[in-house]
Amino acid sequence: MIQKWYLHVDLDAFFASVEQLDNPELKGKPVIVGGKPEDKRSVVSTASYEARKYGVHSAMPIFQAYKLCPNGIYLRGRMERYSEISYKIMNIFKDFSPDVDQMSIDEAFIDISGTEDLFGKPEEIAFKIKKIIKEQIGLTVSVGCAPSKYFAKLASDINKPDGFFMVKPGEEQNFILNLPLKKIWGVGNKTLETLNKCGINTPRDVLEKSIESLKFICGNSTGTFLYNVVRGIEGEKFDRKTKSHSISAETTFPYDVRDIYTAETYLLELVQTVMFRLLREGGFSRTVMVKIRYEDFSTVSIQETIEYNIITVDSFYSLAKKIFEKKYEINRGIRLLGVGLENIEKEERPIQQDLFETSDNKKYAVEKAILSLEKKHPEIKVQKARLLNQGLKK
Ligand code: TTP
Ligand code: MG
């Protein structure tokens, strides 16, 4: 078994850093993105690290931020620019692994297992990525490196900004026991409050409790998750492969897309990403989801379930395309397109599978073969002809 390694990469003070990048006069200054002081109802999207020293943070009302930091530079924000940079950065990650799991506009997990021969040790890959983003984009990121996604996520937060932290196999428990309880991903404000009320203030306090009492205090699911996580075991909550789950991918465009052909080309690219992730984990799904976010941020998300398992890119794409064409309101600009497979099960449903024509099973075998080729040689990118013709960067 090869050692699993994941990176979690998170940009530092993302929106504020982009503003400082585009206007060097703002470098080293407290920059607050979200609104002008006179925008009564606005909230802070993010604040530069210089502004954070004054106590300003995301989700704080702008008027409150202004009280704490009257000398700050207040900006309303430019989503298109942030999306454009995010898109470029996600593409840099894809040069290191075919398995990039974008979590938000500025963070992603990168599965770098088995890529040592190509790119070096996990920490070397982390520093390569930091260097490339600094040189090509001009921004700093913080990277966490661990044998699981969950611990990589926690690790990326340790030495922010421009940080790096590695949790080695076997070190997970020691690492988590030394974190403040509120830093445990999955412990929200409500859970924190409940735990504090019961005198549980640190991960070590959690460790002393039995699974029964944790379940009693926080409910079955959170209780079990907490019991495991302080033992260094990635909580069941975050292990997507044990229960029915979904896989999705989405793209925010650098500009609003109105042309159906372009939209469908991106759709195909997203379908491929999701399909390959499904093949890699060996699950089965019969439900396709398509998400369209228009230029005014209104969002529709449509699901359709069919009789048989979706086992090829072609069958997945034709269904996604059908849903898209049915729902897309012509002439409206699209800012984001997403595609997913829902209710993914580990077990195949043999009865429905018989309904599938054999040619699809053949294609499935071909796609599995391509996947194993990609696994062995991640530098080779196997793409559908349409993407290659368009010269789209994957
Ligand atoms: P984060 O990664 O949570 O924050 P950050 O990148 O600004 O700072 P850091 O990672 O160094 O702690 O979020 C990424 C971007 O998402 C952030 O720059 C702005 C936006 N955002 C909001 O608009 N509202 C919010 O409440 C949060 C948390 C983020
Ligand atoms: Mg960030």
Side-chain angles (χ1 to χ4, degrees):
M1 267 272 281
I2 56 161
Q3 174 64 51
K4 284 285 193 189
W5 280 112
Y6 295 91
L7 299 181
H8 178 261
V9 187
D10 188 332
L11 281 117
D12 301 317
F14 183 43
F15 294 0
S17 304
V18 173
E19 295 302 337
Q20 290 174 325
L21 175 74
D22 289 350
N23 181 0
E25 277 182 20
L26 302 181
K27 286 216 166 98
K29 295 191 179 150
V31 174
I32 293 122
V33 179
K36 298 275 181 194
E38 63 270 22
D39 299 343
K40 294 276 174 295
R41 281 188 301 224
S42 297
V43 292
V44 175
S45 277
T46 195
S48 67
Y49 277 78
E50 295 82 2
R52 291 183 198 194
K53 286 185 200 143
Y54 296 82
V56 178
H57 59 76
S58 295
M60 172 184 273
I62 288 280
F63 74 84
Q64 202 176 328
Y66 188 66
K67 277 188 204 156
L68 293 170
C69 185
N71 297 326
I73 294 141
Y74 289 81
L75 302 167
R76 292 202 173 110
R78 298 171 298 145
M79 272 314 286
E80 285 75 30
R81 179 71 177 133
Y82 311 143
S83 304
E84 181 190 18
I85 293 197
S86 165
Y87 185 75
K88 283 188 188 157
I89 288 170
M90 296 299 154
N91 274 323
I92 293 176
F93 299 159
K94 288 178 194 167
D95 289 337
F96 285 87
S97 166
D99 192 352
V100 174
D101 194 1
Q102 182 172 353
M103 298 296 285
S104 74
I105 193 164
D106 85 326
E107 60 177 309
F109 289 109
I110 313 171
D111 182 349
I112 53 161
S113 317
T115 64
E116 189 160 337
D117 290 348
L118 266 174
F119 300 117
K121 294 198 174 90
E123 59 271 34
E124 287 168 353
I125 300 178
F127 279 97
K128 268 185 198 162
I129 289 176
K130 281 169 75 75
K131 188 162 177 265
I132 291 175
I133 295 178
K134 182 81 200 150
E135 284 172 4
Q136 294 185 4
I137 314 281
L139 296 178
T140 64
V141 296
S142 294
V143 184
C145 177
S148 69
K149 285 185 180 178
Y150 184 81
F151 284 92
K153 162 98 180 166
L154 293 184
S156 72
D157 203 34
I158 294 295
N159 284 325
K160 259 184 169 299
D162 201 9
F164 172 75
F165 195 86
M166 185 168 188
V167 181
K168 293 195 177 127
E171 287 180 352
E172 292 92 338
Q173 182 174 24
N174 189 35
F175 167 69
I176 204 158
L177 288 179
N178 287 299
L179 289 182
L181 202 48
K182 69 168 191 292
K183 288 273 180 190
I184 295 187
W185 185 35
V187 176
N189 286 341
K190 243 182 95 188
T191 307
L192 193 62
E193 213 176 288
T194 313
L195 289 169
N196 290 346
K197 269 189 199 147
C198 299
I200 303 170
N201 299 308
T202 66
R204 277 180 203 281
D205 296 340
V206 177
L207 187 65
E208 281 168 16
K209 298 284 171 204
S210 67
I211 187 156
E212 288 74 24
S213 30
L214 289 171
K215 280 183 181 173
F216 180 75
I217 296 169
C218 303
N220 280 351
S221 151
T222 304
T224 312
F225 156 68
L226 283 170
Y227 181 85
N228 284 328
V229 93
V230 294
R231 283 166 179 78
I233 303 161
E234 186 173 15
E236 196 193 342
K237 252 184 160 175
F238 300 94
D239 187 356
R240 304 195 200 180
K241 292 181 181 91
T242 51
K243 14 182 189 169
S244 161
H245 64 287
S246 59
I247 301 178
S248 63
E250 56 185 47
T251 300
T252 303
F253 303 119
Y255 55 92
D256 294 333
V257 170
R258 284 166 208 281
D259 161 53
I260 291 203
Y261 186 83
T262 307
E264 289 182 349
T265 302
Y266 279 108
L267 201 66
L268 176 58
E269 190 181 18
L270 291 168
V271 159
Q272 282 197 56
T273 307
V274 172
M275 194 65 205
F276 278 89
R277 277 170 55 198
L278 180 79
L279 288 173
R280 183 175 298 112
E281 72 173 62
F284 293 88
S285 163
R286 297 186 294 135
T287 305
V288 169
M289 182 279 295
V290 172
K291 177 168 151 189
I292 308 168
R293 176 166 298 147
Y294 291 106
E295 54 201 327
D296 62 355
F297 280 87
S298 62
T299 308
V300 281
S301 175
I302 318 102
Q303 282 194 8
E304 211 169 300
T305 301
I306 51 173
E307 278 296 303
Y308 48 82
N309 288 320
I310 295 143
I311 56 174
T312 69
V313 167
D314 282 350
S315 54
F316 182 6
Y317 179 59
S318 62
L319 187 55
K321 188 164 169 278
K322 197 179 99 194
I323 298 174
F324 174 74
E325 285 172 0
K326 205 157 63 182
K327 287 289 167 183
Y328 172 54
E329 294 168 30
I330 306 263
N331 291 331
R332 287 186 75 184
I334 305 171
R335 55 173 297 115
L336 174 150
L337 210 51
V339 153
L341 289 171
E342 310 279 319
N343 305 320
I344 295 168
E345 308 273 354
K346 264 268 174 245
E347 293 305 315
E348 190 172 347
R349 291 164 198 258
I351 301 164
Q352 278 87 3
Q353 210 52 53
D354 291 343
L355 296 170
F356 226 160
E357 72 265 57
T358 47
S359 73
D360 229 45
N361 284 316
K362 266 189 209 150
K363 282 182 196 155
Y364 180 57
V366 171
E367 279 162 18
K368 276 207 119 164
I370 292 174
L371 176 69
S372 64
L373 185 71
E374 276 207 337
K375 258 191 187 160
K376 262 195 215 145
H377 301 281
E379 75 279 15
I380 301 174
K381 298 233 160 82
V382 190
Q383 292 180 331
K384 287 260 158 188
R386 187 174 185 182
L387 297 178
L388 291 175
N389 289 342
Q390 273 239 326
L392 268 182
K393 192 171 181 296
K394 212 187 153 198

PDB file of all heavy atoms in Angstrom, residues 10-15 45-46 49 52 58-59 105-106 160, ligand 1:
ATOM      1  N   ASP A  10      -4.503  26.905   1.119  1.00  0.00           N
ATOM      2  CA  ASP A  10      -5.463  27.989   1.387  1.00  0.00           C
ATOM      3  C   ASP A  10      -4.750  29.322   1.200  1.00  0.00           C
ATOM      4  O   ASP A  10      -3.693  29.553   1.788  1.00  0.00           O
ATOM      5  CB  ASP A  10      -5.959  27.832   2.836  1.00  0.00           C
ATOM      6  CG  ASP A  10      -7.100  28.797   3.163  1.00  0.00           C
ATOM      7  OD1 ASP A  10      -7.173  29.879   2.562  1.00  0.00           O
ATOM      8  OD2 ASP A  10      -7.894  28.460   4.047  1.00  0.00           O
ATOM      9  N   LEU A  11      -5.305  30.155   0.342  1.00  0.00           N
ATOM     10  CA  LEU A  11      -4.679  31.461   0.124  1.00  0.00           C
ATOM     11  C   LEU A  11      -4.812  32.332   1.365  1.00  0.00           C
ATOM     12  O   LEU A  11      -5.774  32.209   2.115  1.00  0.00           O
ATOM     13  CB  LEU A  11      -5.319  32.136  -1.085  1.00  0.00           C
ATOM     14  CG  LEU A  11      -4.738  31.531  -2.350  1.00  0.00           C
ATOM     15  CD1 LEU A  11      -5.769  30.831  -3.165  1.00  0.00           C
ATOM     16  CD2 LEU A  11      -3.965  32.572  -3.124  1.00  0.00           C
ATOM     17  N   ASP A  12      -3.829  33.198   1.552  1.00  0.00           N
ATOM     18  CA  ASP A  12      -3.830  34.062   2.731  1.00  0.00           C
ATOM     19  C   ASP A  12      -4.630  35.335   2.454  1.00  0.00           C
ATOM     20  O   ASP A  12      -4.375  36.014   1.459  1.00  0.00           O
ATOM     21  CB  ASP A  12      -2.389  34.425   3.099  1.00  0.00           C
ATOM     22  CG  ASP A  12      -1.562  33.177   3.379  1.00  0.00           C
ATOM     23  OD1 ASP A  12      -2.074  32.267   4.058  1.00  0.00           O
ATOM     24  OD2 ASP A  12      -0.410  33.106   2.904  1.00  0.00           O
ATOM     25  N   ALA A  13      -5.574  35.610   3.340  1.00  0.00           N
ATOM     26  CA  ALA A  13      -6.413  36.820   3.236  1.00  0.00           C
ATOM     27  C   ALA A  13      -6.765  37.097   1.770  1.00  0.00           C
ATOM     28  O   ALA A  13      -6.525  38.182   1.246  1.00  0.00           O
ATOM     29  CB  ALA A  13      -5.696  38.013   3.846  1.00  0.00           C
ATOM     30  N   PHE A  14      -7.373  36.097   1.138  1.00  0.00           N
ATOM     31  CA  PHE A  14      -7.437  36.062  -0.323  1.00  0.00           C
ATOM     32  C   PHE A  14      -7.879  37.370  -0.990  1.00  0.00           C
ATOM     33  O   PHE A  14      -7.116  37.986  -1.725  1.00  0.00           O
ATOM     34  CB  PHE A  14      -8.305  34.882  -0.767  1.00  0.00           C
ATOM     35  CG  PHE A  14      -8.391  34.715  -2.249  1.00  0.00           C
ATOM     36  CD1 PHE A  14      -7.273  34.848  -3.058  1.00  0.00           C
ATOM     37  CD2 PHE A  14      -9.605  34.420  -2.868  1.00  0.00           C
ATOM     38  CE1 PHE A  14      -7.344  34.698  -4.437  1.00  0.00           C
ATOM     39  CE2 PHE A  14      -9.688  34.261  -4.249  1.00  0.00           C
ATOM     40  CZ  PHE A  14      -8.562  34.408  -5.023  1.00  0.00           C
ATOM     41  N   PHE A  15      -9.113  37.824  -0.738  1.00  0.00           N
ATOM     42  CA  PHE A  15      -9.608  38.998  -1.474  1.00  0.00           C
ATOM     43  C   PHE A  15      -8.713  40.219  -1.190  1.00  0.00           C
ATOM     44  O   PHE A  15      -8.402  40.994  -2.094  1.00  0.00           O
ATOM     45  CB  PHE A  15     -11.058  39.344  -1.083  1.00  0.00           C
ATOM     46  CG  PHE A  15     -12.094  38.313  -1.460  1.00  0.00           C
ATOM     47  CD1 PHE A  15     -11.747  37.136  -2.105  1.00  0.00           C
ATOM     48  CD2 PHE A  15     -13.450  38.533  -1.181  1.00  0.00           C
ATOM     49  CE1 PHE A  15     -12.711  36.181  -2.444  1.00  0.00           C
ATOM     50  CE2 PHE A  15     -14.413  37.596  -1.522  1.00  0.00           C
ATOM     51  CZ  PHE A  15     -14.048  36.415  -2.138  1.00  0.00           C
ATOM     52  N   SER A  45     -15.859  40.816   4.109  1.00  0.00           N
ATOM     53  CA  SER A  45     -15.562  39.543   3.437  1.00  0.00           C
ATOM     54  C   SER A  45     -14.265  38.997   4.000  1.00  0.00           C
ATOM     55  O   SER A  45     -14.172  37.856   4.408  1.00  0.00           O
ATOM     56  CB  SER A  45     -15.353  39.752   1.937  1.00  0.00           C
ATOM     57  OG  SER A  45     -16.561  39.776   1.280  1.00  0.00           O
ATOM     58  N   THR A  46     -13.259  39.838   3.942  1.00  0.00           N
ATOM     59  CA  THR A  46     -12.001  39.483   4.584  1.00  0.00           C
ATOM     60  C   THR A  46     -11.197  40.741   4.876  1.00  0.00           C
ATOM     61  O   THR A  46     -11.505  41.814   4.360  1.00  0.00           O
ATOM     62  CB  THR A  46     -11.171  38.501   3.750  1.00  0.00           C
ATOM     63  OG1 THR A  46     -10.149  37.946   4.598  1.00  0.00           O
ATOM     64  CG2 THR A  46     -10.501  39.171   2.560  1.00  0.00           C
ATOM     65  N   TYR A  49      -3.929  40.860   6.851  1.00  0.00           N
ATOM     66  CA  TYR A  49      -3.380  40.522   8.177  1.00  0.00           C
ATOM     67  C   TYR A  49      -3.066  41.783   8.980  1.00  0.00           C
ATOM     68  O   TYR A  49      -3.160  41.780  10.212  1.00  0.00           O
ATOM     69  CB  TYR A  49      -2.180  39.576   8.031  1.00  0.00           C
ATOM     70  CG  TYR A  49      -2.675  38.137   7.887  1.00  0.00           C
ATOM     71  CD1 TYR A  49      -3.176  37.671   6.670  1.00  0.00           C
ATOM     72  CD2 TYR A  49      -2.721  37.283   8.976  1.00  0.00           C
ATOM     73  CE1 TYR A  49      -3.676  36.392   6.539  1.00  0.00           C
ATOM     74  CE2 TYR A  49      -3.216  35.996   8.867  1.00  0.00           C
ATOM     75  CZ  TYR A  49      -3.694  35.555   7.638  1.00  0.00           C
ATOM     76  OH  TYR A  49      -4.218  34.276   7.531  1.00  0.00           O
ATOM     77  N   ARG A  52      -6.255  42.654  10.599  1.00  0.00           N
ATOM     78  CA  ARG A  52      -6.668  41.691  11.628  1.00  0.00           C
ATOM     79  C   ARG A  52      -6.088  42.049  12.996  1.00  0.00           C
ATOM     80  O   ARG A  52      -6.648  41.702  14.025  1.00  0.00           O
ATOM     81  CB  ARG A  52      -6.255  40.263  11.224  1.00  0.00           C
ATOM     82  CG  ARG A  52      -7.060  39.765  10.043  1.00  0.00           C
ATOM     83  CD  ARG A  52      -6.725  38.340   9.659  1.00  0.00           C
ATOM     84  NE  ARG A  52      -7.203  38.098   8.295  1.00  0.00           N
ATOM     85  CZ  ARG A  52      -7.311  36.914   7.733  1.00  0.00           C
ATOM     86  NH1 ARG A  52      -6.972  35.830   8.399  1.00  0.00           N
ATOM     87  NH2 ARG A  52      -7.749  36.786   6.504  1.00  0.00           N
ATOM     88  N   SER A  58     -13.566  38.384   9.100  1.00  0.00           N
ATOM     89  CA  SER A  58     -14.657  38.044   8.173  1.00  0.00           C
ATOM     90  C   SER A  58     -15.984  38.000   8.930  1.00  0.00           C
ATOM     91  O   SER A  58     -16.027  37.576  10.090  1.00  0.00           O
ATOM     92  CB  SER A  58     -14.430  36.666   7.546  1.00  0.00           C
ATOM     93  OG  SER A  58     -13.297  36.674   6.737  1.00  0.00           O
ATOM     94  N   ALA A  59     -17.043  38.408   8.242  1.00  0.00           N
ATOM     95  CA  ALA A  59     -18.421  38.353   8.734  1.00  0.00           C
ATOM     96  C   ALA A  59     -18.760  39.433   9.772  1.00  0.00           C
ATOM     97  O   ALA A  59     -19.896  39.499  10.242  1.00  0.00           O
ATOM     98  CB  ALA A  59     -18.772  36.962   9.287  1.00  0.00           C
ATOM     99  N   ILE A 105     -13.488  29.153  -3.072  1.00  0.00           N
ATOM    100  CA  ILE A 105     -12.790  29.969  -4.066  1.00  0.00           C
ATOM    101  C   ILE A 105     -11.282  29.984  -3.819  1.00  0.00           C
ATOM    102  O   ILE A 105     -10.500  30.119  -4.749  1.00  0.00           O
ATOM    103  CB  ILE A 105     -13.375  31.397  -4.087  1.00  0.00           C
ATOM    104  CG1 ILE A 105     -12.886  32.171  -5.313  1.00  0.00           C
ATOM    105  CG2 ILE A 105     -13.078  32.162  -2.790  1.00  0.00           C
ATOM    106  CD1 ILE A 105     -13.665  33.410  -5.637  1.00  0.00           C
ATOM    107  N   ASP A 106     -10.852  29.769  -2.577  1.00  0.00           N
ATOM    108  CA  ASP A 106      -9.413  29.909  -2.317  1.00  0.00           C
ATOM    109  C   ASP A 106      -8.780  28.719  -1.621  1.00  0.00           C
ATOM    110  O   ASP A 106      -7.694  28.830  -1.087  1.00  0.00           O
ATOM    111  CB  ASP A 106      -9.144  31.201  -1.525  1.00  0.00           C
ATOM    112  CG  ASP A 106      -9.298  31.020  -0.036  1.00  0.00           C
ATOM    113  OD1 ASP A 106     -10.161  30.233   0.379  1.00  0.00           O
ATOM    114  OD2 ASP A 106      -8.547  31.660   0.716  1.00  0.00           O
ATOM    115  N   LYS A 160      -0.297  30.246   9.411  1.00  0.00           N
ATOM    116  CA  LYS A 160      -0.739  31.303   8.495  1.00  0.00           C
ATOM    117  C   LYS A 160      -0.196  32.653   8.925  1.00  0.00           C
ATOM    118  O   LYS A 160      -0.125  32.887  10.119  1.00  0.00           O
ATOM    119  CB  LYS A 160      -2.273  31.353   8.492  1.00  0.00           C
ATOM    120  CG  LYS A 160      -2.855  30.671   7.278  1.00  0.00           C
ATOM    121  CD  LYS A 160      -4.338  30.823   7.255  1.00  0.00           C
ATOM    122  CE  LYS A 160      -4.910  30.400   5.933  1.00  0.00           C
ATOM    123  NZ  LYS A 160      -4.444  31.144   4.778  1.00  0.00           N
TER     124      LYS A 160
HETATM  125  P1  TTP B   1     -10.886  32.271   3.905  1.00  0.00           P
HETATM  126  O1  TTP B   1      -9.859  31.358   3.301  1.00  0.00           O
HETATM  127  O2  TTP B   1     -11.721  31.748   5.025  1.00  0.00           O
HETATM  128  O3  TTP B   1     -10.185  33.578   4.437  1.00  0.00           O
HETATM  129  P2  TTP B   1      -8.969  34.396   3.830  1.00  0.00           P
HETATM  130  O4  TTP B   1      -8.382  33.728   2.634  1.00  0.00           O
HETATM  131  O5  TTP B   1      -9.435  35.800   3.598  1.00  0.00           O
HETATM  132  O6  TTP B   1      -7.952  34.436   5.022  1.00  0.00           O
HETATM  133  P3  TTP B   1      -7.041  33.254   5.569  1.00  0.00           P
HETATM  134  O7  TTP B   1      -7.313  32.047   4.748  1.00  0.00           O
HETATM  135  O8  TTP B   1      -5.645  33.763   5.434  1.00  0.00           O
HETATM  136  O9  TTP B   1      -7.445  33.108   6.998  1.00  0.00           O
HETATM  137  O10 TTP B   1     -11.872  32.772   2.784  1.00  0.00           O
HETATM  138  C1  TTP B   1     -11.469  33.025   1.446  1.00  0.00           C
HETATM  139  C2  TTP B   1     -12.173  34.212   0.883  1.00  0.00           C
HETATM  140  O11 TTP B   1     -13.588  34.017   0.944  1.00  0.00           O
HETATM  141  C3  TTP B   1     -11.915  35.493   1.643  1.00  0.00           C
HETATM  142  O12 TTP B   1     -10.744  36.158   1.198  1.00  0.00           O
HETATM  143  C4  TTP B   1     -13.165  36.268   1.389  1.00  0.00           C
HETATM  144  C5  TTP B   1     -14.248  35.237   1.231  1.00  0.00           C
HETATM  145  N1  TTP B   1     -15.044  35.130   2.474  1.00  0.00           N
HETATM  146  C6  TTP B   1     -16.203  35.878   2.564  1.00  0.00           C
HETATM  147  O13 TTP B   1     -16.562  36.598   1.632  1.00  0.00           O
HETATM  148  N2  TTP B   1     -16.915  35.819   3.731  1.00  0.00           N
HETATM  149  C7  TTP B   1     -16.539  35.068   4.793  1.00  0.00           C
HETATM  150  O14 TTP B   1     -17.218  35.044   5.843  1.00  0.00           O
HETATM  151  C8  TTP B   1     -15.342  34.285   4.687  1.00  0.00           C
HETATM  152  C9  TTP B   1     -14.857  33.450   5.851  1.00  0.00           C
HETATM  153  C10 TTP B   1     -14.637  34.357   3.511  1.00  0.00           C
END
